[in-house]
Amino acid sequence: MYRNIVVEDDNVLRCLRFNVRTSKTNQSCMFKDDPNKLVFNYTKLLFASLLVMEEAPKNILIIGLGGGTMSNALHQIYPEAIIENVEIDPAVIKVAREYFGFFENGSVTSKVQDGRIFIKRAGLKQQKYDWIILDAFNGDYIPEHLLTREFLAEAKQILTPKGVLSSNTFSTSELYAHESATYLDVFGDFFNVTHENNGNRIILTTNFGLPSETIISSRAKELHDTLKPFGVNTIELTTFFTSTKDEKDWPSDTKVLTDQYSPANLLKN
Protein backbone atom coordinates (compact mmCIF):
# COMPACT_ATOMS: atom_id res chain seq x y z
CA MET A 1 0.00 0.00 0.00
CA TYR A 2 2.82 2.43 0.86
CA ARG A 3 5.80 1.27 -1.20
CA ASN A 4 7.38 -1.77 -2.83
CA ILE A 5 9.34 -3.93 -0.40
CA VAL A 6 12.31 -5.99 -1.53
CA VAL A 7 14.13 -8.68 0.47
CA GLU A 8 17.61 -9.39 -0.86
CA ASP A 9 20.01 -12.18 0.09
CA ASP A 10 23.72 -12.46 -0.49
CA ASN A 11 26.20 -14.90 1.01
CA VAL A 12 26.30 -13.11 4.36
CA LEU A 13 23.35 -10.74 4.70
CA ARG A 14 19.60 -10.65 4.27
CA CYS A 15 18.28 -7.11 3.86
CA LEU A 16 14.91 -5.40 3.68
CA ARG A 17 14.76 -2.53 1.21
CA PHE A 18 12.07 -0.07 0.23
CA ASN A 19 12.14 0.25 -3.55
CA VAL A 20 12.15 4.03 -3.74
CA ARG A 21 14.39 6.67 -5.30
CA THR A 22 16.88 7.20 -2.48
CA SER A 23 20.47 6.32 -1.66
CA LYS A 24 19.41 5.18 1.82
CA THR A 25 18.03 1.90 0.54
CA ASN A 26 18.40 -0.79 3.20
CA GLN A 27 15.97 -0.45 6.08
CA SER A 28 17.07 -3.53 8.00
CA CYS A 29 19.66 -6.26 7.61
CA MET A 30 20.68 -9.39 9.48
CA PHE A 31 23.64 -11.73 9.38
CA LYS A 32 22.16 -15.00 8.19
CA ASP A 33 24.52 -17.12 10.28
CA ASP A 34 24.29 -14.89 13.39
CA PRO A 35 20.89 -13.15 13.52
CA ASN A 36 21.53 -11.69 16.98
CA LYS A 37 24.52 -9.64 15.87
CA LEU A 38 23.49 -6.18 14.76
CA VAL A 39 24.51 -5.03 11.27
CA PHE A 40 23.95 -1.28 11.19
CA ASN A 41 25.88 1.27 13.22
CA TYR A 42 22.75 3.33 13.82
CA THR A 43 21.05 0.37 15.51
CA LYS A 44 24.06 0.00 17.76
CA LEU A 45 23.96 3.74 18.49
CA LEU A 46 20.37 3.37 19.71
CA PHE A 47 21.70 1.25 22.57
CA ALA A 48 23.41 4.37 23.90
CA SER A 49 20.00 5.05 25.42
CA LEU A 50 20.61 2.29 27.98
CA LEU A 51 23.67 4.14 29.23
CA VAL A 52 21.57 7.02 30.54
CA MET A 53 18.75 4.99 32.09
CA GLU A 54 18.67 4.71 35.87
CA GLU A 55 17.07 1.27 35.69
CA ALA A 56 16.11 -1.36 33.15
CA PRO A 57 13.10 -0.39 30.99
CA LYS A 58 9.87 -2.25 31.71
CA ASN A 59 7.64 -0.72 29.01
CA ILE A 60 9.13 0.01 25.59
CA LEU A 61 7.46 1.60 22.56
CA ILE A 62 9.06 1.31 19.11
CA ILE A 63 7.64 3.43 16.28
CA GLY A 64 8.74 1.90 12.97
CA LEU A 65 9.41 -1.84 12.80
CA GLY A 66 11.78 -2.47 9.88
CA GLY A 67 12.83 -6.11 10.18
CA GLY A 68 12.13 -6.19 13.91
CA THR A 69 15.84 -6.26 14.77
CA MET A 70 15.59 -3.84 17.68
CA SER A 71 12.56 -5.54 19.16
CA ASN A 72 14.18 -8.97 18.98
CA ALA A 73 17.38 -7.76 20.62
CA LEU A 74 15.55 -5.96 23.41
CA HIS A 75 13.41 -9.01 24.15
CA GLN A 76 16.53 -11.09 24.62
CA ILE A 77 18.12 -8.48 26.88
CA TYR A 78 14.95 -7.73 28.86
CA PRO A 79 12.69 -10.79 28.54
CA GLU A 80 10.26 -9.44 31.15
CA ALA A 81 9.76 -6.10 29.42
CA ILE A 82 6.59 -5.25 27.51
CA ILE A 83 7.58 -4.20 23.98
CA GLU A 84 5.01 -2.58 21.67
CA ASN A 85 5.96 -2.17 18.01
CA VAL A 86 3.91 0.25 15.91
CA GLU A 87 4.18 0.10 12.12
CA ILE A 88 1.94 1.83 9.61
CA ASP A 89 2.46 -0.74 6.83
CA PRO A 90 1.07 -4.24 7.45
CA ALA A 91 3.30 -5.60 4.68
CA VAL A 92 6.42 -4.61 6.68
CA ILE A 93 5.18 -6.65 9.64
CA LYS A 94 4.50 -9.62 7.37
CA VAL A 95 8.00 -9.42 5.85
CA ALA A 96 9.61 -9.05 9.29
CA ARG A 97 7.85 -12.21 10.48
CA GLU A 98 8.53 -14.33 7.41
CA TYR A 99 12.08 -13.31 6.52
CA PHE A 100 13.72 -11.76 9.59
CA GLY A 101 12.49 -13.89 12.46
CA PHE A 102 10.55 -11.06 14.11
CA PHE A 103 9.47 -12.53 17.43
CA GLU A 104 6.10 -11.93 19.08
CA ASN A 105 4.50 -13.32 22.21
CA GLY A 106 2.28 -12.10 25.03
CA SER A 107 4.66 -9.29 25.93
CA VAL A 108 6.07 -8.46 22.46
CA THR A 109 3.39 -7.19 20.12
CA SER A 110 2.96 -5.36 16.83
CA LYS A 111 0.17 -3.00 15.84
CA VAL A 112 -0.69 -1.60 12.43
CA GLN A 113 -1.18 2.10 13.00
CA ASP A 114 0.29 5.49 12.27
CA GLY A 115 2.76 6.29 15.06
CA ARG A 116 1.32 9.77 15.63
CA ILE A 117 -2.17 8.36 16.13
CA PHE A 118 -0.90 5.63 18.45
CA ILE A 119 0.96 8.12 20.66
CA LYS A 120 -1.99 10.51 20.71
CA ARG A 121 -4.33 7.74 21.86
CA ALA A 122 -1.78 6.45 24.37
CA GLY A 123 -1.76 9.91 25.92
CA LEU A 124 -5.53 9.98 26.15
CA LYS A 125 -5.43 6.59 27.88
CA GLN A 126 -2.64 7.85 30.19
CA GLN A 127 -0.28 5.06 29.14
CA LYS A 128 3.36 5.51 30.09
CA TYR A 129 6.62 4.17 28.62
CA ASP A 130 10.12 3.98 30.04
CA TRP A 131 11.66 4.09 26.59
CA ILE A 132 10.26 5.43 23.32
CA ILE A 133 12.23 4.70 20.15
CA LEU A 134 11.31 6.77 17.08
CA ASP A 135 12.58 4.92 14.01
CA ALA A 136 9.92 5.58 11.40
CA PHE A 137 11.13 6.02 7.85
CA ASN A 138 9.10 6.24 4.67
CA GLY A 139 11.97 5.29 2.37
CA ASP A 140 12.84 8.93 1.75
CA TYR A 141 12.90 10.58 5.16
CA ILE A 142 11.11 10.65 8.49
CA PRO A 143 7.40 11.38 7.92
CA GLU A 144 6.91 15.11 8.47
CA HIS A 145 4.14 14.75 11.06
CA LEU A 146 6.59 12.83 13.28
CA LEU A 147 9.02 15.76 13.37
CA THR A 148 6.95 18.56 14.85
CA ARG A 149 6.82 20.28 18.22
CA GLU A 150 3.23 19.14 18.71
CA PHE A 151 4.12 15.50 18.09
CA LEU A 152 7.16 15.56 20.36
CA ALA A 153 5.07 17.14 23.12
CA GLU A 154 2.61 14.26 22.78
CA ALA A 155 5.48 11.76 22.99
CA LYS A 156 6.93 13.51 26.03
CA GLN A 157 3.55 13.25 27.74
CA ILE A 158 3.63 9.43 27.68
CA LEU A 159 7.17 9.11 29.04
CA THR A 160 7.54 8.02 32.65
CA PRO A 161 9.34 10.46 34.99
CA LYS A 162 12.55 8.49 34.39
CA GLY A 163 11.74 7.85 30.74
CA VAL A 164 14.07 8.16 27.75
CA LEU A 165 13.21 9.05 24.16
CA SER A 166 15.54 8.09 21.29
CA SER A 167 15.10 9.29 17.73
CA ASN A 168 16.97 7.89 14.75
CA THR A 169 17.58 10.73 12.33
CA PHE A 170 20.41 12.06 10.15
CA SER A 171 23.47 14.24 10.66
CA THR A 172 23.77 15.22 6.99
CA SER A 173 20.42 16.82 6.27
CA GLU A 174 19.26 20.40 5.86
CA LEU A 175 16.66 19.48 8.45
CA TYR A 176 19.43 19.05 11.04
CA ALA A 177 19.10 22.54 12.50
CA HIS A 178 15.29 22.51 12.47
CA GLU A 179 15.12 19.11 14.17
CA SER A 180 17.66 20.21 16.76
CA ALA A 181 15.79 23.43 17.52
CA THR A 182 12.52 21.50 17.83
CA TYR A 183 13.85 18.86 20.23
CA LEU A 184 15.48 21.60 22.34
CA ASP A 185 12.19 23.50 22.43
CA VAL A 186 10.26 20.48 23.74
CA PHE A 187 12.78 18.62 25.89
CA GLY A 188 15.56 21.07 26.67
CA ASP A 189 19.16 19.96 26.26
CA PHE A 190 19.77 16.56 24.68
CA PHE A 191 22.57 14.23 23.61
CA ASN A 192 23.62 13.71 20.01
CA VAL A 193 25.07 10.24 19.46
CA THR A 194 26.92 10.01 16.15
CA HIS A 195 29.62 7.95 14.45
CA GLU A 196 32.04 9.48 11.96
CA ASN A 197 31.54 6.62 9.49
CA ASN A 198 27.77 6.92 9.45
CA GLY A 199 25.30 9.61 8.42
CA ASN A 200 22.82 8.79 11.16
CA ARG A 201 22.51 10.54 14.48
CA ILE A 202 20.57 9.48 17.51
CA ILE A 203 18.86 12.30 19.36
CA LEU A 204 18.74 11.10 22.94
CA THR A 205 16.73 12.93 25.56
CA THR A 206 15.18 12.19 28.92
CA ASN A 207 12.41 13.31 31.22
CA PHE A 208 14.86 13.83 34.09
CA GLY A 209 17.76 15.80 32.64
CA LEU A 210 21.06 14.59 31.21
CA PRO A 211 23.25 12.36 33.39
CA SER A 212 26.95 13.05 33.91
CA GLU A 213 29.81 11.44 32.00
CA THR A 214 30.67 9.50 35.15
CA ILE A 215 27.22 7.89 35.27
CA ILE A 216 27.31 7.07 31.56
CA SER A 217 30.76 5.48 31.86
CA SER A 218 29.69 3.43 34.88
CA ARG A 219 26.61 2.17 33.09
CA ALA A 220 28.71 1.29 30.01
CA LYS A 221 30.91 -0.96 32.14
CA GLU A 222 27.87 -2.63 33.71
CA LEU A 223 26.29 -3.41 30.32
CA HIS A 224 29.45 -4.31 28.40
CA ASP A 225 29.13 -8.10 28.66
CA THR A 226 25.35 -8.01 28.13
CA LEU A 227 25.52 -6.14 24.84
CA LYS A 228 28.74 -7.61 23.46
CA PRO A 229 26.97 -10.61 21.78
CA PHE A 230 24.93 -8.11 19.74
CA GLY A 231 28.07 -6.44 18.39
CA VAL A 232 27.65 -3.39 20.64
CA ASN A 233 30.75 -2.04 22.34
CA THR A 234 29.36 0.06 25.20
CA ILE A 235 32.76 1.52 26.13
CA GLU A 236 33.19 2.77 22.58
CA LEU A 237 29.62 4.12 22.60
CA THR A 238 30.51 6.58 25.35
CA THR A 239 32.91 8.33 22.95
CA PHE A 240 30.11 9.13 20.51
CA PHE A 241 28.13 11.36 22.93
CA THR A 242 27.99 15.13 22.58
CA SER A 243 25.69 17.34 24.62
CA THR A 244 23.86 20.46 23.54
CA LYS A 245 24.75 21.83 26.97
CA ASP A 246 28.28 22.18 25.63
CA GLU A 247 27.59 22.91 21.99
CA LYS A 248 24.56 24.00 20.01
CA ASP A 249 25.74 23.64 16.43
CA TRP A 250 22.84 25.36 14.71
CA PRO A 251 21.80 29.03 14.37
CA SER A 252 19.92 30.44 17.37
CA ASP A 253 17.18 31.83 15.13
CA THR A 254 16.41 28.44 13.50
CA LYS A 255 12.71 27.92 12.99
CA VAL A 256 11.05 25.18 15.06
CA LEU A 257 9.11 22.53 13.10
CA THR A 258 5.37 22.63 13.78
CA ASP A 259 2.25 21.05 12.35
CA GLN A 260 1.92 24.24 10.28
CA TYR A 261 5.60 24.31 9.28
CA SER A 262 7.30 20.97 8.61
CA PRO A 263 8.79 21.03 5.09
CA ALA A 264 10.59 17.71 5.40
CA ASN A 265 10.11 16.99 1.72
CA LEU A 266 12.06 20.15 0.80
CA LEU A 267 14.85 20.02 3.37
CA LYS A 268 15.60 16.30 3.64
CA ASN A 269 18.69 16.32 1.40
Side-chain angles (χ1 to χ4, degrees):
M1 184 183 297
Y2 293 94
R3 80 283 279 177
N4 292 327
I5 299 172
V6 178
V7 176
E8 294 182 329
D9 268 13
D10 63 22
N11 292 332
V12 177
L13 292 177
R14 174 172 294 170
C15 293
L16 180 154
R17 179 166 61 84
F18 295 155
N19 191 18
V20 292
R21 294 174 65 184
T22 176
S23 61
K24 308 178 184 73
T25 54
N26 288 330
Q27 306 308 304
S28 186
C29 290
M30 71 174 187
F31 292 107
K32 293 192 291 185
D33 61 349
D34 190 2
N36 289 336
K37 187 176 181 181
L38 300 173
V39 176
F40 291 138
N41 278 328
Y42 87 82
T43 313
K44 299 175 186 179
L45 294 180
L46 278 169
F47 281 93
S49 310
L50 298 178
L51 306 187
V52 306
M53 293 184 185
E54 295 183 11
E55 54 190 39
K58 297 181 178 65
N59 292 281
I60 302 169
L61 174 62
I62 302 175
I63 304 295
L65 179 65
T69 302
M70 195 68 182
S71 179
N72 285 359
L74 289 175
H75 176 64
Q76 291 184 68
I77 298 166
Y78 301 114
E80 303 302 318
I82 296 172
I83 303 173
E84 296 181 66
N85 294 277
V86 178
E87 167 59 51
I88 195 171
D89 189 345
V92 171
I93 298 176
K94 181 179 180 182
V95 167
R97 288 170 178 159
E98 292 186 9
Y99 295 98
F100 294 89
F102 171 48
F103 177 84
E104 295 166 282
N105 63 9
S107 59
V108 181
T109 59
S110 60
K111 186 177 183 65
V112 179
Q113 195 166 74
D114 182 282
R116 177 82 181 258
I117 293 172
F118 182 93
I119 284 179
K120 181 75 169 181
R121 291 178 178 174
L124 294 173
K125 292 185 265 186
Q126 298 186 329
Q127 295 172 227
K128 298 289 183 181
Y129 297 91
D130 303 310
W131 188 8
I132 298 174
I133 300 169
L134 302 179
D135 193 20
F137 190 68
N138 62 13
D140 199 21
Y141 205 78
I142 301 164
E144 61 185 27
H145 65 299
L146 303 182
L147 292 169
T148 68
R149 174 168 55 194
E150 292 87 346
F151 167 68
L152 292 178
E154 292 168 354
K156 183 178 181 180
Q157 181 186 358
I158 64 172
L159 276 178
T160 61
K162 295 184 178 182
V164 171
L165 182 140
S166 315
S167 180
N168 176 34
T169 179
F170 299 96
S171 58
T172 55
S173 162
E174 289 186 27
L175 272 169
Y176 180 96
H178 294 282
E179 288 177 301
S180 300
T182 306
Y183 274 84
L184 184 71
D185 182 77
V186 175
F187 289 99
D189 282 311
F190 57 86
F191 287 120
N192 279 316
V193 186
T194 59
H195 189 285
E196 61 181 5
N197 295 330
N198 185 273
N200 292 76
R201 73 159 165 165
I202 304 301
I203 296 176
L204 175 54
T205 188
T206 77
N207 240 357
F208 54 88
L210 302 184
S212 67
E213 289 183 18
T214 302
I215 292 174
I216 291 171
S217 295
S218 174
R219 189 69 173 143
K221 292 175 184 175
E222 292 174 8
L223 287 169
H224 181 265
D225 291 346
T226 300
L227 296 184
K228 188 177 180 180
F230 299 92
V232 179
N233 184 333
T234 56
I235 308 303
E236 186 181 37
L237 272 183
T238 64
T239 67
F240 302 149
F241 279 74
T242 58
S243 171
T244 58
K245 281 184 179 180
D246 305 319
E247 179 184 5
K248 293 178 174 63
D249 57 351
W250 65 90
S252 58
D253 61 349
T254 299
K255 196 167 184 177
V256 169
L257 298 171
T258 69
D259 285 347
Q260 286 71 46
Y261 177 81
S262 186
N265 61 322
L266 300 178
L267 297 174
K268 60 181 179 287
N269 296 320

